[in-house]
C-alpha cells in the first residue's frame, strides 16, 4: 500500500483485531490489556503492520492514539467483520439442541461479589451439566459480539435490541460503620460525619448526584470509582457511603442509616441476545438464574440481611 492509499487489502484478521483494539481503547497499554499481550509486543506488532502496509495508522498524541484515515478504514472493516463473525456464531449456536454446556454470564463487580455467589452455588447444585463462566465487568459488554451469553445489568433503560426480564429492583441507602454513624437514624443527622464520595466514573450517576446534593464537599474524605470500592472503604471505617442494599446488608460491620432512597431504585435486568435466546442451554441458564434471583428480592430491597 502506498503512503496515500487507504485500502487495507493486505491486512490479516489478526492485524485488524490489533487496530480495532487500539482504536477503541485509545492507548497501547489499554489495548494490550484487552488483547492479553504485553505493551512492548503490541507496539512491535503495530510497527510491523504499518511497515508492511506502508502507511501510518495512528497519530500519536501525548495521551492517546487516534486513527488516521487509513486506520479508520481498517477499524471500520474490523467492526464489520467482528459483527459478521459474531452473527455467524450466534446462528450456528442457535442450532445447538443440547441443554448442557457452558454459558457465559457477565455482571458488575458489586453484583458479582455480593449477590451472585449464593445464587450461582444453588444453581450449580441443582442444574447438573450446566457450567457457568462469570465475567465481572462494570462495562456493558456486547452480547451481540458474543462477549457473553447472558448479562445482569442494573439500569432503567436496557438495550432495546436485547431480550430481557426484570428479576428484581435494586434499592440504595446510606451505610456506615457503627463508630462512624454514631447512632444517627436518618441521613440528615450525619452532619460533620466523614463520607465516601464518587469520582468522575460515577459522579454523573444517580448515587453520585445524590451525594453531590446532600453531602458538603468538606465532609468527603475519600472517593471511589466503583460501588464495590465504596463498600470496601465504608467497611474499613473511612466514612458513610451510599450503597446498594444488597451490598450494605451483606456486610456485618455496617449499619443502615434511614430507609432506602426511593428516587435511586433501579430495575435489575437479565438480558440475552435474541439470536441465542432459544438455545436450550442458554434458556435453561437464564430461567434458572431468574428463579434464583427472585429469591434475593428481600435483600435487594433492603428488607433482609444476607
Amino acid at each position: 500500500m502506498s503512503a496515500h492509499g487507504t485500502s487495507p487489502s493486505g491486512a490479516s484478521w489478526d492485524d485488524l483485531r490489533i487496530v480495532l483494539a487500539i482504536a477503541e481503547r485509545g492507548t497501547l497499554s489499554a489495548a494490550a490489556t484487552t488483547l492479553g499481550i504485553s505493551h512492548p509486543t503490541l507496539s512491535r506488532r503495530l510497527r510491523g503492520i504499518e511497515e508492511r502496509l506502508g502507511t501510518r495508522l495512528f497519530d500519536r498524541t501525548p495521551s492517546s492514539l487516534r486513527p488516521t484515515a487509513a486506520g479508520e478504514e481498517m477499524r471500520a472493516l474490523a467492526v464489520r467483520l467482528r459483527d459478521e463473525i459474531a452473527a455467524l456464531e450466534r446462528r450456528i449456536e442457535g442450532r445447538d439442541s443440547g441443554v448442557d454446556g457452558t454459558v457465559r454470564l457477565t455482571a458488575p463487580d458489586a453484583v458479582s461479589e455480593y449477590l451472585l455467589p449464593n445464587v450461582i452455588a444453588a444453581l450449580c447444585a441443582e442444574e447438573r451439566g450446566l457450567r457457568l463462566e462469570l465475567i465481572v465487568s462494570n462495562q456493558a459488554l456486547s452480547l451481540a459480539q458474543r462477549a457473553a451469553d447472558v448479562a445482569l445489568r442494573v439500569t432503567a433503560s436496557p438495550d432495546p435490541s436485547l431480550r430481557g426480564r426484570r428479576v428484581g429492583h435494586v434499592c440504595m441507602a446510606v451505610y456506615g460503620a457503627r463508630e462512624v454513624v454514631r447512632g444517627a437514624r436518618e441521613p440528615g443527622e450525619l452532619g460533620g460525619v466523614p463520607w465516601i464520595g464518587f469520582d468522575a466514573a460515577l459522579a454523573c450517576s444517580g448515587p453520585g448526584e445524590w451525594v453531590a446534593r446532600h453531602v458538603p464537599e468538606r465532609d468527603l474524605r475519600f472517593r471511589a470509582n466503583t460501588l464495590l470500592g465504596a463498600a470496601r472503604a465504608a467497611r474499613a471505617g473511612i466514612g458513610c457511603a451510599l450503597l446498594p442494599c444488597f451490598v450494605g446488608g451483606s456486610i456485618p460491620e455496617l449499619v443502615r442509616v434511614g430507609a432506602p432512597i426511593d428516587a435511586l431504585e433501579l430495575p435489575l435486568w437479565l438480558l440475552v441476545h435474541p439470536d441465542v435466546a432459544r438455545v436450550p442451554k442458554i434458556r435453561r441458564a437464564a430461567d434458572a438464574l431468574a428463579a434464583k434471583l427472585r429469591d434475593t428480592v428481600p435483600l435487594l430491597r433492603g428488607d433482609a440481611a444476607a
Side-chain angles (χ1 to χ4, degrees), residues 204-255:
C204 295
S205 66
E209 291 175 351
W210 188 94
V211 170
R213 287 196 307 269
H214 294 87
V215 180
E217 183 71 22
R218 64 179 180 273
D219 290 339
L220 294 177
R221 305 295 175 82
F222 180 83
R223 295 183 188 272
N225 66 345
T226 65
L227 292 171
L228 182 57
R232 289 172 173 165
R235 185 176 189 172
I238 293 175
C240 293
L242 186 60
L243 300 173
C245 292
F246 72 84
V247 175
S250 299
I251 302 176
E253 294 88 345
L254 299 183
V255 295

Side-chain angles (χ1 to χ4, degrees), residues 19-306:
V19 171
L20 178 59
I22 297 171
E24 289 186 335
R25 300 306 303 275
T27 65
L28 285 177
S29 57
T33 300
T34 297
L35 294 168
I37 60 179
S38 68
H39 184 291
T41 297
L42 180 57
S43 181
R44 288 195 300 270
R45 296 281 292 276
L46 176 59
R47 285 198 305 271
I49 295 169
E50 290 181 325
E51 290 172 1
R52 188 165 64 255
L53 296 177
T55 190
R56 189 177 71 257
L57 298 175
F58 292 91
D59 289 324
R60 276 73 169 172
T61 73
S63 60
S64 66
L65 277 72
R66 298 178 181 176
T68 61
E72 177 59 28
E73 187 173 350
M74 287 188 70
R75 185 205 65 79
L77 176 59
V79 168
R80 292 197 301 273
L81 289 177
R82 181 182 64 186
D83 291 347
E84 290 177 5
I85 291 170
L88 175 63
E89 290 176 346
R90 293 195 305 270
R91 290 195 299 271
I92 292 173
E93 188 168 14
R95 300 168 188 163
D96 183 3
S97 61
V99 296
D100 293 340
T102 300
V103 175
R104 292 164 298 162
L105 167 67
T106 182
D109 57 2
V111 172
S112 299
E113 180 155 336
Y114 286 101
L115 189 66
L116 284 181
N118 290 337
V119 169
I120 292 177
L123 188 149
C124 290
E126 296 176 12
E127 301 291 339
R128 300 300 175 87
L130 193 62
R131 296 181 296 277
L132 289 181
E133 291 183 0
L134 178 60
I135 305 168
V136 181
S137 176
N138 290 328
Q139 304 299 316
L141 300 185
S142 174
L143 301 190
Q145 295 169 10
R146 300 299 313 284
D149 300 310
V150 181
L152 281 174
R153 292 179 185 159
V154 181
T155 178
S157 304
D159 187 338
S161 69
L162 302 176
R163 288 188 182 177
R165 59 185 115 172
R166 283 190 296 268
V167 291
H169 286 81
V170 175
C171 295
M172 300 194 71
V174 175
Y175 290 85
R178 286 180 174 82
E179 61 272 20
V180 173
V181 303
R182 305 167 190 168
R185 296 179 179 274
E186 297 294 336
E189 300 175 8
L190 292 171
V193 170
W195 277 79
I196 296 157
F198 301 106
D199 75 357
L202 285 171
C204 295
S205 66
E209 291 175 351
W210 188 94
V211 170
R213 287 196 307 269
H214 294 87
V215 180
E217 183 71 22
R218 64 179 180 273
D219 290 339
L220 294 177
R221 305 295 175 82
F222 180 83
R223 295 183 188 272
N225 66 345
T226 65
L227 292 171
L228 182 57
R232 289 172 173 165
R235 185 176 189 172
I238 293 175
C240 293
L242 186 60
L243 300 173
C245 292
F246 72 84
V247 175
S250 299
I251 302 176
E253 294 88 345
L254 299 183
V255 295
R256 194 173 80 194
V257 181
I261 300 167
D262 292 340
L264 297 179
E265 181 177 321
L266 285 174
L268 175 63
W269 288 88
L270 190 151
L271 303 166
V272 298
H273 193 280
D275 288 351
V276 298
R278 296 187 180 277
V279 174
K281 67 178 181 180
I282 294 177
R283 185 173 67 244
R284 177 188 176 192
D287 289 345
L289 280 167
K292 297 301 179 187
L293 284 165
R294 291 189 187 101
D295 294 337
T296 70
V297 166
L299 183 58
L300 288 169
R301 297 192 64 85
D303 297 333

